């Protein structure tokens, strides 16, 4: 039972580099989310996809783009990384958006931007 | 936007002690949640609360949905070393755009054997 799988686990980038964080879930969930976690700030929603084919901005979308590739996969792209994007990134999924309190999280990607 | 204030920020306790933490909101919530994050992992849902005054248990954990709908409490009884981690409250409010969740800042719990 893989649940939500994120890759990579760790990444170091230089300012201005680009990268894509991958996320896949095998629970047949309709909704997927990207959060970032910073010390003392809890989890903040970057983007979400309520259902396949739709994406919407969350609380902190600037500097990011997302793609809901299919029902299973939801990727997060940093086009030009900045030090302020140093954080731990979590992908999550839920059965549907109306039941989004029951989030299933991946194990996170620790990103450092130098 | 909505804000959640979670306290305390950190706790250092001895094994066997009881723990209490709470979360307050600047506005009314219709759902309160408590998640736990183990080191190096993503958060896992512990308890979900849907009605004001609701008291729900999950093993040694008990959470309550405050009567005012602006707060929630989590108690852990007889703590053990595996209780170590970060506990997050989260809520979904009536005014939240698209029914998104708002997360608290987390309570870091350390249990000394």
């Amino acid at each position: 039972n893989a649940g939500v799988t994120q890759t990579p686990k760790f990444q170091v980038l230089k300012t201005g580099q680009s990268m894509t964080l991958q996320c896949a879930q095998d629970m047949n969930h309709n909704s997927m989310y990207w959060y970032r976690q910073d010390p003392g700030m809890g989890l903040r929603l970057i983007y979400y996809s309520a259902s396949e084919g739709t994406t919407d901005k969350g609380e902190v979308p600037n500097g990011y783009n997302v793609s809901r590739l299919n029902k299973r996969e939801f990727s997060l792209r940093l086009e030009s990384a900045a030090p302020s994007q140093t954080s731990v990134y979590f992908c999550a999924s839920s059965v549907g958006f109306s039941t989004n309190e029951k989030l299933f999280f991946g194990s996170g990607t620790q990103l450092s931007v130098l | 936007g909505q804000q959640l204030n979670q306290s305390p920020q950190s706790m250092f306790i001895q094994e066997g002690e009881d723990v209490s933490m709470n979360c307050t909101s600047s506005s009314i919530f219709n759902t309160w949640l408590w998640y736990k994050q183990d080191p190096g992992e993503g958060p896992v849902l512990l308890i979900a609360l849907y009605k004001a005054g609701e008291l729900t248990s999950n093993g040694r954990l008990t959470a309550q949905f405050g009567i005012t709908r602006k707060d929630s409490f989590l108690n852990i009884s007889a703590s053990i070393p595996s209780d170590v981690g970060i506990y997050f409250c989260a809520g979904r409010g009536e005014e939240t755009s698209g029914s998104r969740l708002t997360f608290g800042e987390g309570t870091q719990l350390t249990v000394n054997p």
Side-chain angles (χ1 to χ4, degrees):
Chain A
N1 294 333
V4 179
T5 303
Q6 288 181 239
T7 56
K9 185 87 171 164
F10 300 95
Q11 184 71 49
V12 179
L13 294 177
K14 294 181 180 177
T15 298
Q17 286 186 317
S18 62
M19 79 158 297
T20 300
L21 280 65
Q22 306 288 351
C23 175
Q25 51 90 10
D26 63 1
M27 296 174 283
N28 201 34
H29 285 175
N30 290 300
S31 303
M32 298 185 74
Y33 314 79
W34 277 103
Y35 286 88
R36 61 178 287 173
Q37 181 180 26
D38 302 292
M41 300 191 74
L43 292 154
R44 293 182 293 169
L45 183 63
I46 304 171
Y47 269 94
Y48 65 98
S49 171
S51 61
E52 187 180 356
T54 69
T55 60
D56 284 289
K57 295 179 180 179
E59 185 183 352
V60 288
N62 291 344
Y64 305 96
N65 284 300
V66 291
S67 295
R68 183 75 183 267
L69 304 168
N70 48 55
K71 190 172 185 179
R72 291 186 64 246
E73 299 173 285
F74 188 40
S75 62
L76 178 72
R77 183 160 178 83
L78 287 69
E79 289 291 352
S80 179
S84 61
Q85 294 178 304
T86 293
S87 187
V88 180
Y89 291 85
F90 288 99
C91 177
S93 69
S94 64
V95 172
F97 200 58
S98 61
T99 55
N100 65 352
E101 70 272 18
K102 295 179 182 173
L103 291 172
F104 293 81
F105 285 87
S107 56
T109 296
Q110 184 150 353
L111 175 67
S112 295
V113 183
L114 307 177
Chain B
Q2 294 180 323
Q3 291 186 324
L4 283 185
N5 294 311
Q6 189 170 346
S7 65
Q9 286 189 328
S10 60
M11 302 182 75
F12 297 84
I13 63 170
Q14 292 297 124
E15 183 176 358
E17 289 183 358
D18 296 342
V19 172
S20 290
M21 58 191 79
N22 69 82
C23 215
T24 59
S25 167
S26 57
S27 56
I28 290 173
F29 276 14
N30 55 30
T31 304
W32 280 100
L33 309 152
W34 287 92
Y35 281 82
K36 183 197 176 192
Q37 183 180 20
D38 288 328
E41 298 295 328
V44 174
L45 181 64
L46 298 173
I47 294 177
L49 303 158
Y50 299 100
K51 281 194 321 186
E54 181 179 353
L55 189 71
T56 297
S57 294
N58 178 3
R60 293 177 296 104
L61 278 63
T62 301
Q64 183 162 23
F65 192 139
I67 292 291
T68 65
R69 297 171 65 192
K70 291 186 177 182
D71 57 8
S72 180
F73 307 87
L74 177 69
N75 296 315
I76 305 173
S77 62
S79 59
I80 59 178
S82 62
D83 289 334
V84 164
I86 304 176
Y87 291 79
F88 289 101
C89 63
R92 189 169 61 200
E94 295 176 336
E95 298 173 3
T96 307
S97 174
S99 295
R100 296 185 218 145
L101 297 182
T102 300
F103 281 84
E105 307 99 330
T107 294
Q108 173 76 61
L109 178 64
T110 302
V111 180
N112 295 315

